[in-house]
Amino acid sequence: MEFKKKKLANGLTLISEVNKSAKSAAVGFFVKTGSRDETGEINGVSHFLEHMLFKGTEKLNAFEVNEAFDRTGAQFNAFTSEENTVFYAAVLAEYLVEVTELWIELMRPALRDEDFNIEKNVIKEEIAMYKDLPSYDVLDRCRKLHFDSHPCGNSVLGSEEGIENLTAERMRDYFAKRYAPNNMVLACTGNFDWEQICSTVASCCSKWQKRTVRRKLGHCEGSKKKSSVEKSNLTCEYICLMSPSVSAQDRMRFSATVLAAIVGDDVGSRFFWELVDKALAEVATMQFGALDGTGAFCSYIRCSSDNVPKVFEIINDIFRSLSASGITEDELKTAKNKILSALVIKNELPIGRLVDLGFNWIYLGEYRTIEDDINAIRAVTADDIHLLIEEFNPGDFTQLSIGPAQPG
Amino acid sequence: MEFKKKKLANGLTLISEVNKSAKSAAVGFFVKTGSRDETGEINGVSHFLEHMLFKGTEKLNAFEVNEAFDRTGAQFNAFTSEENTVFYAAVLAEYLVEVTELWIELMRPALRDEDFNIEKNVIKEEIAMYKDLPSYDVLDRCRKLHFDSHPCGNSVLGSEEGIENLTAERMRDYFAKRYAPNNMVLACTGNFDWEQICSTVASCCSKWQKRTVRRKLGHCEGSKKKSSVEKSNLTCEYICLMSPSVSAQDRMRFSATVLAAIVGDDVGSRFFWELVDKALAEVATMQFGALDGTGAFCSYIRCSSDNVPKVFEIINDIFRSLSASGITEDELKTAKNKILSALVIKNELPIGRLVDLGFNWIYLGEYRTIEDDINAIRAVTADDIHLLIEEFNPGDFTQLSIGPAQPG
């Protein structure tokens, strides 16, 4: 593994980790923009814009964009979160330059009115579809309730009404402000020729204009509100709990990851033994979500409506005992073991490695080897975890549930 | 890559492909049993049994099973389909023997009454949860409609009522019949020591008793029935179409994969251009499902209710034009390109390779290198595809849709 980086005069940063023994290679544009960077009037524009990048440029129409991807046989996609929009592709090693050139071309989209108007329907259908998914709906509503007026509470998809009222002009304006080269990172991993990628990027991207790009930062303590929603057709209860945590930049982020695994890993965690193994809940997990300047613990529980009171009793017991007695060395060791193994396996494939490489640069402006992250996880102590519990008290949470209408 | 195999006297087959440059290794038990091997009275038992294997053995209780997995840091899971139950784990290379020993132990579960009774609730909650997921529900109902009395139409999860009536005694009986060593394959991939795995397996599994195991085979032409279901809370329409195809053993299975990609790959396919790109459907895909002795093409479409008539008009046009004019050389080339790239990237990671290695042995009793599969896909011609269209006429399908209640 060899790390290389290059920064163009306009601020575009190219980073890469070459692995000559891989058969594939991966490339991704990491754009530091998402729903938290939107105002209410344009909520959903980041995600809509992500779709529009596939609709073509001055040189290519949507059909030609797809043909161009097809020629490389790429597995490609994109996703938008509260704070990032990421475009990526995995290809056989010999196609990396070709697919990188294609992404570079797409990063300067035409954003044509007619494409915008057609795609608007796709977005509205996507919003409708996610409303049919209670597991997504509960997270979306709980994030809003928890972050309240903090921009991280903004919905990624936006509302059908908001999208209906959005204009192509406003999207073009947002694009010009947020897709500046100094607000993006281009990352490559796997088997490829660094010099060739460098010269491609330098010749294609140097004309992109630098701009001043800002983001409102600030920690969020969370509203700690409790709310519930009834939906007549559902058969079980979907519960989301959120509480504040450290940021993506915080040295304690590794401790937060370990704490979440101890409380709510899929298996072997406290939630697992007390709720899932006892058949009180079908799913009960907790994750740490690291954000720019803030963070949150997020738990997700699915159970039958009858079990809701018992489930909350147990969850409260788990958090109380965590605050009172802390964690055991055994729990610490096995949680670390699982996190380390998942980390190494994920990073073994170029497309998996791409995501960690890109996000480390986006959040920290720093190259970290897998070994750096392994060592940071190994170094977490029970005392670190106890400090985190004391500071953030995960038992004091925002709570939202969606379930079937109650009789009467 | 080096292939090795060993067969014990009781019929248990151990296969492996060693890759010394990998950091991880993967192991999986492939048991040739699923919902198609169930009678109506025990429908859902294969999937329920998959859960029960984690509940412990004579030596280990459920808690100790999880502790044992945790010690290896394994990423482990299991899944049940119409015809297979697969248990797998990915670990850092040094843990492969330990996690393999654990799986071997679990393959002879205690199936205790008290565990069975608790887990019954988990299964019923899982059934309830999947009913809340229209994308799953539509596939499950369409499979039943299409396969009709053919056992491949059996629900994998079973019904809440059927599970309620199932006894532990019946499960133990099913287990004894289906988890015979001659009905299982143990596969390993990645970086590990073959001799060590061999001696572990020989010493732990040789006492397992061989049994006569049968499966009802037979091709299924499909019912070609049309049906729809109304659910008041939904916001959009979920459509599933099924038509017959070749089996997992058929030489033409590669052609069927290519045909499905041409018609309904996520992007760049006929469905994509005619339905998704035109914003008439949010998703429209077609896949080839290879089964033991039979097979099916399965399409999945999600769209707004208003668009349903137009969507069906276009789908019928697509299949008509396919029968009348066939495919183009360009379509053939790009579809192959995408399939090849996905194949190579998936197989680059030991856990990805495990699945192909195991299923090739389960269905064909044959070791195939990645190169064998690459060459088979490269060899597909437009004539092969045209023969397939002629023989199976994918436009003549079984159809099931789930959508919001119609006004009036």
Side-chain angles (χ1 to χ4, degrees), chain A residues 16 76 89 118 148 180 220 259 292 308 378 399:
Chain A
S16 77
F76 67 102
I118 294 175
D148 207 11
C220 176
L259 172 58
D292 199 0
V308 172
R378 287 218 170 106
Q399 168 190 330

Side-chain angles (χ1 to χ4, degrees), chain A residues 33-38 42-53 80-82 84-85 87 156 166 171 174 178-179:
Chain A
T33 202
S35 54
R36 73 178 288 173
D37 304 302
E38 300 166 354
I42 56 165
N43 180 218
V45 71
S46 308
H47 169 256
F48 192 165
L49 182 54
E50 173 218 309
H51 279 233
M52 287 299 294
L53 260 81
T80 307
S81 71
E82 299 95 317
N84 294 295
T85 311
F87 301 85
V156 172
L166 191 67
M171 178 183 280
Y174 177 84
R178 304 295 308 178
Y179 278 60

